[in-house]
């Protein structure tokens, strides 16, 4: 069982009452909390303190929450939960396509927020737990497809040039499902269950945007995918040849 006292959440919101509410709620449940009112404060907080999760408001005064999330994602795979208002579905979809791992609509239910935070942090710990075994590389389970290498032990993806390709939790979970069952068609519901791992309100395009993000990272031509293909009336299939390596 993980100790939440060791897990730090960064709350980024330009409204002080909301930051205080989130801090109080998270600290009551054992988490350490940092606050930031804008992008510069967020960047400084991330430099000064390692964080396990970012809760980021989509609508910051004078700043674009999606762009801030995209900036973080370009450097780190830290989970990002975005807070949105009603009527922001288009932005929620765009945010998922670019950077965010989850969304929660304001006003939110306190229990639901904590449940989602716990689930995201639990999945992060599950993904990072095997990293301590990296010294014994021969014990790692790896699969290869089209000169890409997916290390299933350390949960890391390596490009054909040997450099690591950063994956979010959802992207990694989706790719693992595919490489463990290539040439099999999965419905969106099957993929959603495999990649979410916890109950939350989702919308129909969640899997579609994860597929889009993964295609952008691994396909030679994302507009004409050759690895992750759409199966009409069914869902998606991983068509690349997968071997142990």
């Amino acid at each position: 069982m993980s100790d939440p006292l060791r897990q730090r959440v960064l709350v980024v919101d330009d409204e002080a009452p909301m930051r205080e509410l989130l801090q109080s709620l998270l600290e009551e449940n054992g988490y350490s909390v940092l606050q930031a009112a804008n992008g510069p404060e967020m960047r400084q907080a991330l430099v000064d303190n390692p964080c396990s999760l970012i809760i980021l408001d989509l609508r910051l005064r004078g700043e674009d929450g999606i762009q801030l999330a995209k900036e973080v994602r370009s450097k780190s795979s830290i989970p990002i939960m975005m807070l949105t208002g009603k009527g922001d579905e288009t932005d929620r979809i765009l945010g998922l396509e670019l950077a965010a791992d989850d969304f929660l609509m304001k006003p939110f239910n306190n229990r639901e927020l904590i449940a989602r935070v716990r689930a995201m942090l639990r999945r992060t710990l599950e993904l990072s737990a095997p990293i301590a075994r990296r010294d014994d590389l021969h014990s790692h389970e790896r699969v290869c497809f089209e000169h890409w290498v997916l290390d299933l032990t350390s949960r890391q993806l390596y490009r054909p040039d040997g450099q690591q390709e950063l994956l979010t939790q959802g992207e990694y979970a989706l790719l693992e499902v595919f490489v463990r069952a290539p040439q099999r068609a999965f419905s969106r519901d099957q993929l959603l269950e495999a990649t979410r791992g916890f109950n939350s309100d989702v919308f129909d395009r969640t899997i579609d945007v994860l597929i889009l993000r993964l295609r952008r990272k691994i396909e030679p031509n994302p507009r004409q995918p050759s690895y992750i293909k759409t199966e009409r009336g069914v869902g998606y299939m991983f068509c690349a040849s997968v071997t142990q390596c």
Side-chain angles (χ1 to χ4, degrees):
M1 186 74 177
S2 63
D3 181 3
L5 289 174
R6 297 183 178 180
Q7 295 174 301
R8 182 180 291 114
V9 180
L10 174 59
V11 174
V12 185
D13 197 299
D14 56 7
E15 297 182 359
M18 178 58 68
R19 295 198 304 273
E20 294 298 330
L21 171 63
L22 288 167
Q23 178 163 0
S24 177
L25 179 60
L26 289 163
E27 289 181 343
E28 285 175 4
N29 286 273
Y31 297 99
S32 174
V33 180
L34 293 175
Q35 292 189 21
N38 49 48
E41 290 185 11
M42 179 196 76
R43 297 183 189 97
Q44 191 60 51
L46 291 173
V47 169
D48 295 340
N49 303 275
C51 295
S52 302
L53 171 70
I54 299 174
I55 298 178
L56 173 62
D57 186 26
L58 177 66
R59 302 292 185 187
L60 296 172
R61 281 191 292 270
E63 295 181 277
D64 186 339
I66 291 178
Q67 287 302 315
L68 289 178
K70 187 177 179 181
E71 177 185 324
V72 171
R73 183 60 67 238
S74 69
K75 303 173 183 177
S76 169
S77 58
I78 181 173
I80 301 172
M81 176 190 292
M82 299 198 78
L83 300 180
T84 70
K86 292 183 179 180
D88 288 338
E89 182 169 334
T90 299
D91 286 330
R92 289 200 297 273
I93 293 171
L94 179 60
L96 273 176
E97 288 179 355
L98 297 176
D101 296 280
D102 198 9
F103 280 88
L104 189 61
M105 185 179 294
K106 296 179 181 179
F108 50 80
N109 178 281
N110 291 351
R111 285 188 177 182
E112 181 181 6
L113 182 137
I114 292 300
R116 293 207 194 185
V117 166
R118 285 174 176 162
M120 295 177 75
L121 291 174
R122 181 172 63 248
R123 184 174 288 274
T124 300
L125 289 174
E126 289 171 355
L127 293 180
S128 62
I131 292 178
R133 298 200 297 269
R134 285 180 186 166
D135 291 341
D136 185 10
L137 296 178
H138 295 293
S139 69
H140 284 211
E141 181 184 5
R142 293 193 189 89
V143 294
C144 298
F145 62 92
E146 303 298 334
H147 305 294
W148 289 79
V149 177
L150 183 64
D151 191 320
L152 298 169
T153 303
S154 64
R155 273 87 168 182
Q156 293 178 329
L157 177 65
Y158 295 94
R159 298 193 293 264
D161 63 5
Q163 297 299 308
Q164 183 181 352
E165 180 71 50
L166 290 178
L167 297 177
T168 65
Q169 298 175 14
E171 291 163 1
Y172 171 81
L174 185 64
L175 184 57
E176 181 175 359
V177 170
F178 281 140
V179 300
R180 289 191 182 278
Q183 314 303 324
R184 173 186 169 185
F186 288 92
S187 70
R188 286 174 175 79
D189 287 343
Q190 290 172 321
L191 293 172
L192 185 60
E193 181 179 355
T195 56
R196 297 292 291 189
F198 58 96
N199 294 324
S200 61
D201 293 332
V202 296
F203 40 94
D204 292 342
R205 289 191 58 189
T206 302
I207 287 299
D208 294 330
V209 296
L210 277 177
I211 292 287
L212 176 62
R213 280 165 46 170
L214 198 52
R215 280 173 170 167
R216 287 173 177 168
K217 292 186 176 182
I218 69 173
E219 293 280 3
N221 182 357
R223 294 181 180 275
Q224 296 181 338
S226 56
Y227 305 157
I228 305 174
K229 294 190 175 181
T230 302
E231 293 291 305
R232 290 187 179 277
V234 181
Y236 296 98
M237 178 185 293
F238 194 68
C239 297
S241 177
V242 179
T243 59
Q244 297 291 323
C245 57

